[in-house]
């Protein structure tokens, strides 16, 4: 069977160079994302160190069931991402499309649950700056906990939305037969991005939902 | 009469400037050289706007009273000057113009790794500039470029959020440019171009890109938190809600100190190029100069607390930051000594780029040494937040970085435009700039030690004489900057055609016509020589 | 400073000559290295200028490692001297002497308010005695300011939400500029004043209100000291008005700890930590008591943040100090880690 020509952009010498550049580029981008989230993680850690009691108590207001479900959903979505990359590698077009679609679906489930949690928090008046009401020992310090909660999970959710958008685009391209075992770089790179967003959640979950819980 | 042989260079038929015509061919280009020119236009406009703000407030400062503008306006003027100059001129300057144009050419590549991302970077800067200028037109921002909390998040009544959006976008522009450079330098070098054959301009841009990648996201998220605090009343930096205003300073300076190295490292790269070319010698101790760029980038991330010695930071933290600041001075000193040693025994011609390079060495030395002075804790207490600091950073940013930028612009102007600029006018402008610069900023060292604080609209009478000197210098400096704008534009139409290599440089970018074709090289070059090798070569046919 | 043109600020404190000596060392090495580089660069540029178009490029030079090492090590040594010397001076600036005269300062947009221990209050003008160490405890009511007296070579930021301190000992009588040195809004450059250094007898006279209204200085509000009652007395009044004594009994333990003798002592907290009860601790315990609960007590005290201003806090601090104190370590700058 004739070799399918690989898509190589005009400025690269060959496919290998293009693939190397794409991979290095995505990893470099993820490093910037680490620094981006990192600023807020640092802020969170500093205030947690200053107000450990208030943070632990505020953590009890998190909905641990929904949080745990979301964690499972995201980990499952990372699995579907890996499976989609694998499908592309094996030239299995139908499997690729299915796993891309599953990833999008799981991402939407995550966002739906997150949106539900946010709605609960608004109802309980736990959004700082908008009728914040807190019956614990130190409302001001608890408010800082919730400020970081909304800022960090909000930024994470924004990244999820972008990720879902990217995977929708991948689905369209896959539908059009753009990917094959000779060329599936965008699937790989988007997969890296999705895994990163997942890992950020793996850090967010214990820091907000699990610390200092009383049973 | 004998027919005379044509011995002046002619322009190539097709090159990147005439490859395609029309506004759309520029707005949707992916050619790194065209994108470089798009950036050149943008940052030049921003430079003159930021400069206009400076003209106004230097005019005000010629008298002790506030008789030109009211205090609120004055505060908006110095804020606009700082924000525009730092985020919309200095940070992009060399990387986005000369870097974009030359990085692919110097490594023998056809373009950067991600050409469309490059175009996106430009759009991000432009949209960011629209936000920032929009904020200025709508009434301005008065927090200073440093946005200290809780003033910026709680107390200021000005357009802080709109300005921060602009800065945020400009930040992403520079992150993506840095990413592009790093990937390009790693993966697209021509065959034979090992790391230690790279021009020092490339090393400088690599180090700069490291800082861009790692530091800028932190300031982006920090300013984002300031916006959230202002809009939603969160208590992150607001002490009445349990927040810590000094935490903002830590997060802000974690980026903004390395940022100053983003602003100066590329200029240092330019200086290495012009010193070698115009001495026709290789650089003294190449590896030390190359590694010093990396050392500056790494050490630069460890010293941010030297902006905070009197902020409430602990005594012991201050001591550690002061000690580390002494270390970060050393790689810069290494560069200065190595450039000087490169001149020794050279064959030096006084073209304008070299004059700017020598100016850089002198003025950067003064700026850098005063940095060591400021890093010394006992003196810092007195000079912090005074004009001494203002003088120090302008010696580096203007006497250093901006001179390097102008030197680079002149050096590569023949390559970029295919034309030679008028050398006489260029030297004259360089002289005006040098004199004007020193008259503007040297008196500020004295003013600062006398105790005149920064960001003062009105001041005690005894500071007037030095302020008048400074304002006089500023007007001369302003004229100096306008002159190159005129003759560079003039030369694009009426300048002498340059030819591929008017300076006789060994750089790869000079081995292709001026202006270059869109794809830079006919064939991918293969590198067999060391960099800056000016030894006599066997002649080719 | 006297009007007219100056090139160098006067030295009016014990620390000023020390700071200036370090400054001259640093200026000296800056001038030396600048001249060295300028001279070499200009000399080489002239000596090795290109003649009429030469064919031969200049001979290759070898790298000299010894030279490289020299110009790394020598500047490093000079810079380290600057570090150690500077750290030494900074440490001295951070350590007020014992039995310094303590004055409280509140900065707010756009004025400086001073409270002397005996109750005299001043705005934008601070009278201090010559030849005696003075320690200022600084608080901000709004944004970050910075307290700067150039003639004394002292400066420290005034940060909302905490106390910072500064100390000096004046060595010249006269009037000296006081500037706010951290941009704080519209009238930042108007947030200035004077420090008036008086001979000891004159200072006593001023304290007693005998000097009359000081000579008006153009543009500054004059302040006549009015002994309305000492800081401590006002603090005591406030203590009663706010109902503190309900829980904080004087002799026996009530709902809250006894405060006699607490100032300066080591306090064991519920969290297990031990902290020193300095000004910052007392301030925080009033404004935000939940932050540090004393071991063995319930977290019942309501926060007073937003109910009293910084000046009132200072009065309460002065009162609690007056209830007996243990020797506390005094420090300029970041007083302690409490906010």
């Amino acid at each position: 069977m004739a070799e399918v020509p690989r898509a190589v952009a005009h400025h690269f010498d060959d496919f290998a160079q293009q693939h190397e550049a794409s991979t290095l580029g995505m990893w470099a981008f993820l490093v910037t994302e680490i620094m981006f989230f990192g600023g807020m993680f640092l802020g969170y850690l500093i205030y947690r160190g200053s107000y450990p009691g208030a943070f632990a108590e505020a953590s009890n207001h998190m909905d641990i069931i929904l949080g745990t479900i979301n964690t499972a959903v995201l980990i499952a979505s990372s699995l579907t991402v890996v499976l989609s990359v694998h499908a592309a590698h094996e030239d299995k077009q139908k499997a690729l499309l299915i796993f891309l679609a599953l990833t999008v679906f799981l991402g939407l489930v995550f966002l739906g649950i997150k949106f539900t949690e946010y709605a609960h928090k608004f109802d309980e008046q736990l959004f700082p700056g908008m009728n914040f009401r807190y019956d614990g020992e130190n409302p001001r310090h608890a408010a800082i906990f919730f400020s970081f909660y909304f800022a960090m999970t909000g930024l994470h959710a924004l990244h999820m939305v972008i990720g879902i958008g990217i995977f929708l685009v991948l689905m369209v391209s896959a539908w059009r037969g753009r990917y094959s075992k000779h060329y599936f770089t965008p699937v790989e790179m988007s997969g890296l991005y999705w895994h990163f967003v997942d890992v950020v959640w793996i850090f967010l979950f214990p820091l907000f939902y699990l610390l200092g819980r009383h049973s | 009469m004998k027919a005379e042989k044509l011995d002046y260079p002619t322009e190539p038929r097709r090159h990147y400037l005439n490859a395609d015509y029309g506004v759309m061919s520029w707005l949707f280009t992916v050619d790194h050289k065209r994108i470089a020119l798009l950036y050149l236009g943008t940052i030049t406009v921003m430079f003159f706007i930021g400069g206009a703000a400076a003209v106004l407030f230097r005019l005000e400062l010629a008298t002790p009273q506030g008789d030109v503008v009211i205090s609120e306006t004055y505060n908006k003027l110095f804020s606009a000057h700082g924000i525009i100059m730092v985020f919309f001129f200095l940070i992009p300057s060399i990387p986005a113009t000369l870097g974009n144009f030359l990085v692919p050419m110097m490594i023998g590549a056809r373009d950067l790794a991600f050409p469309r991302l490059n175009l996106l970077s430009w759009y991000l800067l432009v949209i960011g500039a629209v936000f920032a200028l929009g904020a200025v037109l709508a009434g301005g921002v008065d927090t200073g470029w440093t946005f200290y909390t809780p003033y910026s998040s709680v107390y200021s009544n000005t357009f802080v959020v709109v300005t921060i959006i602009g800065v945020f976008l400009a930040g992403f522009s520079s992150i993506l440019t840095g990413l592009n450079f790093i990937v390009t330098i790693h993966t697209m070098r021509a065959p034979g171009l090992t790391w230690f054959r790279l021009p020092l301009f490339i090393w400088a841009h690599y180090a700069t890109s490291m800082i861009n990648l790692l530091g800028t996201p932190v300031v982006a998220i920090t300013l984002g938190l300031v916006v959230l605090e202002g809009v939603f009343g969160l208590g992150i930096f607001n002490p009445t809600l349990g927040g810590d205003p000094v935490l903002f300073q830590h997060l802000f300076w974690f980026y903004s100190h390395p940022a100053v190295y983003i602003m100066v490292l590329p200029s240092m790269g330019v200086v290495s190029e012009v010193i070698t070319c115009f001495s026709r010698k290789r650089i003294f101790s190449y590896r030390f100069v190359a590694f010093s760029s990396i050392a500056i980038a790494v050490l630069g991330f460890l010293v941010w607390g030297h902006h905070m010695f009197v902020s409430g930071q602990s005594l012991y933290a201050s001591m550690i930051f002061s000690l580390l600041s002494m270390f970060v001075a050393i790689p810069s000193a290494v560069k200065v000594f190595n450039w000087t040693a490169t001149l020794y025994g050279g064959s030096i011609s006084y073209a304008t780029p070299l004059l700017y390079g020598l100016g850089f060495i002198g003025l950067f030395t003064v700026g850098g040494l005063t940095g060591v002075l400021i890093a010394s804790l006992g003196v810092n207490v007195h000079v912090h937040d005074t004009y001494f600091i203002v003088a120090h950073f302008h010696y580096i940013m203007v006497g250093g970085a901006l001179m390097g930028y102008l030197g680079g612009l002149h050096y590569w102007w023949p390559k970029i435009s295919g034309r030679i600029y008028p050398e006489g006018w260029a030297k004259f402008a360089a002289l005006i700039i040098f004199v004007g610069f020193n008259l503007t900023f040297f008196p500020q060292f004295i003013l600062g030690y006398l105790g005149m604080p920064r960001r003062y609209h009105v001041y005690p009478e005894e500071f007037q004489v030095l302020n008048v000197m400074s304002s006089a210098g500023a007007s001369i400096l302003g004229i100096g900057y306008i002159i190159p704008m005129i003759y560079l534009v003039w030369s694009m139409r009426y300048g002498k055609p340059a030819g591929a290599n008017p300076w006789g440089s060994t750089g790869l970018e000079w081995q292709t016509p001026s202006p270059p074709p869109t794809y830079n090289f006919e064939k991918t070059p293969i590198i067999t020589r060391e960099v800056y090798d000016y030894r006599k070569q066997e002649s080719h046919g | 400073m006297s009007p007219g043109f100056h090139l160098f600020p006067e030295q009016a404190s014990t620390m000023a000559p020390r700071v200036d000596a370090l400054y001259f060392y640093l200026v000296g090495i800056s001038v030396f290295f600048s001249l060295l580089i300028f001279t070499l660069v200009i000399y080489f540029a002239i000596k090795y200028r290109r003649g009429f178009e030469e064919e031969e490029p200049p001979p290759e030079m070898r790298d000299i490692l010894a030279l490289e090492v020299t110009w790394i090590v020598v500047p490093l040594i000079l810079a380290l001297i600057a570090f150690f010397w500077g750290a030494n001076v900074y440490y001295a600036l951070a350590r007020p002497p014992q039995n310094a005269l303590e004055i409280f300062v509140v900065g707010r947009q756009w004025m400086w308010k001073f409270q002397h221990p005996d109750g005299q209050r001043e705005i934008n003008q601070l009278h201090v005695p010559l030849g005696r160490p003075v320690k200022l405890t600084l608080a901000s009511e709004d944004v970050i300011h910075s307290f700067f007296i150039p003639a004394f070579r002292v400066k420290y930021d005034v940060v909302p939400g905490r106390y910072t301190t500064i100390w000096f000992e004046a060595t010249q009588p006269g009037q000296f500029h006081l500037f706010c040195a951290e941009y704080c809004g519209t009238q930042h450059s108007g947030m200035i004043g004077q420090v008036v250094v008086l001979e000891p007898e004159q200072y006593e006279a001023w304290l007693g209100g005998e000097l009359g209204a000081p000579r008006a200085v153009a543009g500054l509000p004059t302040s006549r000291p009015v002994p309305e009652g000492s800081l401590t007395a006002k603090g005591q009044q406030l203590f009663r008005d706010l109902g503190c004594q309900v829980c904080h009994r004087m002799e026996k333990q009530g709902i809250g700890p006894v405060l006699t003798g607490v100032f300066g002592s080591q306090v064991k907290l519920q969290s297990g930590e031990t902290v020193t009860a300095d000004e910052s601790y007392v301030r925080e315990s009033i404004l935000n008591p939940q932050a540090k609960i004393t071991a063995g007590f319930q977290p019942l005290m309501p926060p007073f943040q937003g109910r009293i201003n910084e000046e009132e806090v200072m009065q309460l601090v002065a009162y609690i100090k007056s209830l007996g104190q243990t020797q506390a370590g005094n420090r300029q700058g970041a007083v302690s880690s409490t906010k």
Side-chain angles (χ1 to χ4, degrees):
Chain A
M1 189 140 92
E3 182 75 23
V4 175
R6 294 177 160 188
V8 180
H10 67 278
H11 53 288
F12 286 115
D13 291 336
D14 53 36
F15 184 81
Q17 190 186 58
Q18 175 176 279
H19 190 261
E20 191 192 353
S22 301
T23 311
L24 182 58
M26 180 48 78
W27 280 105
F29 176 68
L30 294 181
V31 166
T32 71
E33 291 275 65
I34 292 173
M35 298 308 288
F36 195 52
F37 277 95
M40 286 205 286
F41 273 100
L42 181 73
Y44 169 91
L45 289 173
I46 287 176
Y47 282 117
R48 169 148 152 65
S50 300
Y51 310 134
F55 268 45
E57 194 194 74
S59 166
N60 283 292
H61 289 262
M62 295 287 123
D63 191 331
I64 189 146
I65 297 180
L66 290 183
T68 307
I69 293 175
N70 254 353
T71 307
V73 164
L74 263 194
I75 293 179
S77 74
S78 267
L79 176 62
T80 55
V81 163
V82 169
L83 290 171
S84 65
V85 173
H86 182 71
H89 183 65
E90 298 283 296
D91 227 350
K92 297 189 169 134
Q93 298 290 337
K94 205 162 126 195
L96 170 61
L97 210 47
I98 290 174
F99 286 123
L100 288 176
L102 272 177
T103 306
V104 169
F105 171 72
L106 289 170
L108 289 170
V109 167
F110 178 90
L111 286 178
I113 295 177
K114 199 96 218 89
F115 181 68
T116 310
E117 279 187 273
Y118 279 7
H120 287 170
K121 293 275 173 306
F122 278 117
D123 289 338
E124 292 164 29
Q125 292 181 277
L126 287 175
F127 188 86
M130 290 185 173
N131 308 322
F132 184 75
R133 250 184 45 111
Y134 184 76
D135 291 328
E137 276 178 16
N138 209 320
R140 285 188 326 153
H141 297 166
I144 295 180
F145 175 91
F146 288 106
S147 298
F148 275 98
Y149 170 74
F150 283 106
M152 295 177 80
T153 60
L155 186 65
H156 176 263
L158 177 64
H159 281 76
M160 288 291 301
V161 169
I162 294 171
I164 290 170
I166 291 174
F167 272 76
L168 283 170
V169 170
L170 288 180
M171 278 173 67
V172 171
S173 298
W175 176 268
R176 293 191 180 151
R178 180 128 165 75
Y179 305 125
S180 69
K181 67 173 187 261
H182 302 288
Y183 175 70
F184 57 97
T185 312
V187 181
E188 271 185 285
M189 299 304 131
S190 307
L192 277 178
Y193 172 81
W194 191 274
H195 290 313
F196 172 77
V197 178
D198 187 14
V199 167
V200 171
W201 177 261
I202 303 292
F203 279 89
L204 287 180
F205 177 62
L207 286 182
F208 285 106
Y209 291 79
L210 297 183
L211 65 97
R213 291 197 73 82
H214 317 189
S215 47
Chain B
M1 193 159 65
K2 236 177 10 178
E4 282 185 23
K5 180 166 164 278
L6 246 59
D7 62 359
Y8 58 83
T10 53
E11 258 178 30
R13 286 280 173 91
R14 277 187 85 69
H15 47 74
Y16 79 102
L17 288 170
N18 63 20
D20 206 348
Y21 288 107
V23 171
M24 289 299 138
S25 77
W26 282 88
L27 292 181
F28 290 101
T29 183
V30 288
D31 178 0
H32 65 101
K33 299 182 290 300
R34 285 192 167 206
I35 294 175
L37 289 188
L38 289 173
Y39 266 110
L40 183 60
T42 310
I43 65 168
T44 304
V45 167
M46 297 309 277
F47 175 75
F48 280 104
I49 297 177
V55 166
L56 281 171
F57 69 68
R58 276 290 2 142
L59 191 60
E60 171 66 89
L61 288 171
T63 60
Q65 311 86 1
D67 34 26
V68 176
V69 293
I70 58 173
S71 288
E72 206 181 300
T73 307
Y74 180 86
N75 297 337
K76 292 174 178 176
L77 283 172
F78 76 69
S79 300
H81 174 74
I83 291 166
I84 292 175
M85 288 307 202
V86 169
F87 294 112
F88 295 96
F89 176 68
L90 282 167
I91 299 252
S93 64
I94 294 180
T97 56
L98 300 173
N100 258 331
F101 199 97
L102 295 164
V103 167
M105 296 189 71
M106 284 182 169
I107 64 173
R110 277 186 286 286
D111 207 310
L112 289 177
F114 305 116
R116 287 172 300 183
L117 201 68
N118 200 12
L119 184 66
L120 175 65
S121 286
W122 179 70
Y123 276 108
L124 286 172
L125 184 72
V126 170
I127 298 171
V130 166
F131 271 92
L133 292 178
V136 168
L137 287 174
V141 72
D142 72 343
T143 58
W145 80 278
T146 48
F147 297 105
Y148 272 22
T149 57
Y151 183 73
S152 63
S153 55
V154 178
Y155 287 85
S156 176
N157 293 323
T158 59
F159 290 92
V160 177
V161 173
V162 177
T163 306
I164 285 181
I165 293 174
V167 171
F168 192 90
L169 291 170
F172 272 95
S173 170
S174 60
I175 291 174
L176 295 177
T177 298
L179 189 154
N180 228 334
F181 284 170
I182 287 189
V183 175
T184 305
I185 296 170
H186 269 284
T187 62
M188 294 173 72
R189 282 168 286 132
L193 192 50
T194 57
W195 283 91
F196 293 122
R197 285 176 172 174
L198 284 170
L200 290 166
F201 184 87
I202 299 289
W203 278 96
H205 278 75
Y206 187 87
T208 304
S209 300
M210 274 169 56
I211 305 175
N212 256 322
L213 226 59
L214 295 174
T216 318
V218 177
V219 80
I221 200 65
T222 307
L223 292 176
L225 288 175
V226 171
V227 166
L228 291 181
E229 177 157 288
V231 170
F232 291 110
L234 307 181
I236 303 179
F237 305 122
N238 183 358
T240 56
L241 299 176
D244 184 355
V246 181
L247 177 63
F248 171 81
Q249 293 179 39
H250 280 291
L251 289 170
F252 177 81
W253 288 111
F254 181 80
Y255 162 74
S256 298
H257 186 78
V260 313
Y261 298 114
I262 295 176
M263 297 187 251
V264 86
L265 274 170
S267 273
M268 292 172 152
V270 171
V271 174
S272 290
E273 298 298 317
V274 301
I275 296 280
T276 49
C277 175
F278 293 102
S279 318
R280 290 178 78 201
K281 270 188 72 194
R282 69 175 188 53
I283 194 90
F284 192 81
S285 269
Y286 171 91
R287 287 192 189 212
F288 274 88
V289 181
F291 284 129
S292 67
S293 291
I294 305 294
I296 290 172
V298 171
L299 289 171
F301 273 102
L302 304 179
V303 299
W304 77 89
H306 68 217
H307 299 269
M308 297 167 61
F309 288 151
V310 295
S311 67
Q313 182 173 259
S314 89
L315 183 82
Y316 302 106
S318 293
M319 292 200 178
I320 294 173
F321 282 118
S322 173
L323 179 64
L324 288 168
S325 302
M326 299 303 169
F327 288 125
V328 80
I330 300 302
S332 295
V334 164
K335 284 186 193 274
V336 169
F337 287 122
N338 277 305
W339 289 323
T340 308
T342 305
L343 292 171
Y344 176 84
S347 168
I348 300 172
S349 87
Y350 299 149
T352 303
L354 181 76
L355 297 181
Y356 276 114
L358 298 183
F360 178 103
I361 295 175
L363 299 176
F364 173 78
T365 300
V366 173
L369 288 166
T370 52
V372 171
L373 187 155
I374 296 169
S376 176
L377 288 159
V379 175
N380 181 282
V381 170
H382 180 63
V383 299
H384 172 72
D385 262 330
T386 67
Y387 264 84
F388 198 95
I389 308 288
V390 176
H392 157 72
F393 67 70
H394 281 92
Y395 261 81
I396 310 240
M397 293 301 135
V398 181
L402 182 50
M403 286 215 150
Y405 173 70
L406 289 174
L409 202 56
H410 283 76
Y411 179 53
W412 281 293
W413 189 254
K415 180 57 55 182
I416 293 171
S417 67
R419 305 294 177 118
I420 307 273
Y421 58 83
E423 184 67 38
W425 278 103
K427 286 194 165 79
F428 175 65
L431 181 65
I432 304 264
I433 288 174
F434 187 82
V435 168
F437 169 81
N438 282 295
L439 187 57
T440 309
F441 292 107
F442 195 83
Q444 293 185 4
F445 282 123
I446 303 175
L447 267 177
Y449 205 78
L450 279 171
M452 179 171 171
R454 289 172 72 167
R455 301 171 161 175
Y456 261 38
H457 176 214
V458 301
Y459 57 80
E461 260 181 54
E462 67 253 34
F463 296 144
Q464 184 172 17
V465 173
L466 291 163
N467 269 293
V468 168
M469 285 173 67
S470 181
S471 295
S475 48
I476 297 173
L477 190 58
I479 293 172
Y481 289 137
I482 292 175
I483 300 176
M485 296 303 118
I486 301 175
Y487 66 67
L488 286 176
V489 172
W490 174 92
S491 76
M492 288 175 82
R493 183 79 186 269
Y494 299 108
K496 205 172 88 156
N501 194 355
W503 308 121
S505 167
T506 59
L508 201 52
E509 73 273 23
W510 299 102
Q511 315 309 324
T512 189
S514 306
T518 302
Y519 286 112
N520 299 337
F521 298 96
E522 295 264 324
K523 291 184 310 196
T524 301
I526 298 183
I527 314 303
T528 52
R529 284 165 66 182
E530 297 306 310
V531 70
Y532 312 128
D533 188 351
Y534 284 93
R535 287 172 303 183
K536 215 159 154 63
Q537 301 297 313
E538 311 80 52
S539 54
H540 306 100
Chain C
M1 198 183 297
S2 53
F5 179 52
H6 298 267
L7 280 175
F8 199 79
E10 53 195 322
Q11 293 178 344
S13 76
T14 52
M15 289 303 299
R18 291 186 63 178
V19 171
D20 288 350
L22 173 59
Y23 179 67
F24 289 131
Y25 165 72
L26 288 159
V27 169
I29 55 176
S30 301
V31 168
F32 172 76
F33 280 101
S34 299
L35 287 180
L36 177 69
I37 297 292
F38 293 169
T39 312
L40 285 174
V41 164
I42 294 175
Y43 176 65
F44 291 161
I46 295 178
K47 176 165 181 197
Y48 298 108
R49 67 186 176 283
R50 199 176 297 179
F52 294 105
E53 275 316 305
E54 299 152 10
E55 283 303 324
E56 294 291 318
E60 282 278 298
M61 246 180 81
R62 271 194 355 260
D63 295 341
I64 305 172
L65 187 62
L67 207 51
E68 215 54 64
V69 169
T70 307
W71 63 49
I72 289 177
V73 168
V74 171
L76 186 59
I77 292 174
L78 293 171
L80 287 175
I81 293 174
F83 164 68
F84 282 109
W85 190 346
N88 202 271
V89 173
Y90 184 75
Y91 193 82
L93 283 167
R95 289 267 178 290
Q98 300 291 349
N99 32 273
L101 173 64
E102 293 194 24
I103 298 178
F104 287 96
V105 184
V106 174
R108 56 176 289 235
Q109 288 170 324
W110 289 282
M111 62 169 74
W112 296 105
K113 296 190 281 195
F114 301 97
Q115 294 193 78
H116 293 255
D118 290 343
Q120 296 82 355
R121 308 175 63 159
E122 307 190 73
I123 294 187
N124 292 333
Q125 199 171 62
L126 173 64
H127 286 79
V128 293
L130 176 70
R132 188 169 162 204
V134 175
K135 174 184 152 193
L136 304 178
T137 300
L138 307 157
S140 166
E141 277 180 18
D142 39 39
V143 298
I144 302 180
H145 301 277
S146 194
F147 192 87
F148 178 34
I149 307 172
F152 297 173
R153 313 289 188 273
V154 293
K155 177 192 293 110
Y156 213 87
D157 280 2
V158 185
V159 183
R162 67 177 73 184
Y163 284 160
T164 55
T165 67
I166 209 174
W167 80 271
F168 56 80
E169 180 179 326
T171 53
Q172 305 270 9
Q175 288 181 352
F176 305 100
H177 283 300
L178 161 64
F179 295 129
C180 172
E182 184 60 58
Y183 177 71
C184 54
T186 311
Q187 293 303 330
H188 168 58
S189 51
M191 191 166 163
I192 66 177
Q194 308 170 299
V195 176
V196 181
V197 179
L198 298 172
E199 302 280 354
E201 319 79 50
Q202 283 197 306
Y203 179 71
E204 293 303 319
W206 175 85
L207 282 179
E210 291 162 21
L211 281 186
R215 197 162 40 89
V217 177
L220 292 178
T222 56
S223 71
R224 184 196 165 86
V226 178
E228 299 160 16
S230 68
L231 220 51
T232 310
K234 288 180 155 174
Q236 184 176 45
Q237 184 62 48
L238 206 50
F239 194 83
R240 286 210 197 94
D241 292 345
L242 292 171
C244 311
Q245 80 287 1
V246 173
C247 299
H248 294 284
R249 303 279 176 87
M250 284 303 124
E251 284 88 49
K252 62 180 174 64
Q253 212 75 272
I255 304 172
V258 173
L259 299 178
T260 323
V262 83
F263 192 86
S265 68
Q266 299 293 103
V267 178
K268 187 139 194 282
L269 302 179
Q270 214 172 55
S271 61
E273 266 186 276
T274 306
V275 293
T276 309
D278 56 11
E279 287 92 342
S280 282
Y281 169 80
V282 175
R283 177 179 176 279
E284 187 183 31
S285 300
I286 297 171
L287 296 178
N288 181 28
Q290 312 293 340
K292 291 184 171 61
I293 314 270
T294 307
F297 288 89
Q298 294 298 312
L300 292 173
M301 179 171 164
F304 281 80
Q305 173 84 44
R307 292 169 58 183
I308 55 177
N309 63 32
E310 293 289 345
E311 289 174 81
E312 290 168 321
V313 173
M314 285 174 169
Q315 290 161 7
L316 288 169
V317 169
Y319 172 61
I320 289 170
K321 262 173 137 164
S322 74
L323 295 178
Q325 46 178 302
T326 329
Q327 266 308 319
N330 294 319
R331 276 193 283 153
Q332 162 171 309
V335 178
S336 65
S337 61
T338 58
K339 293 199 245 300

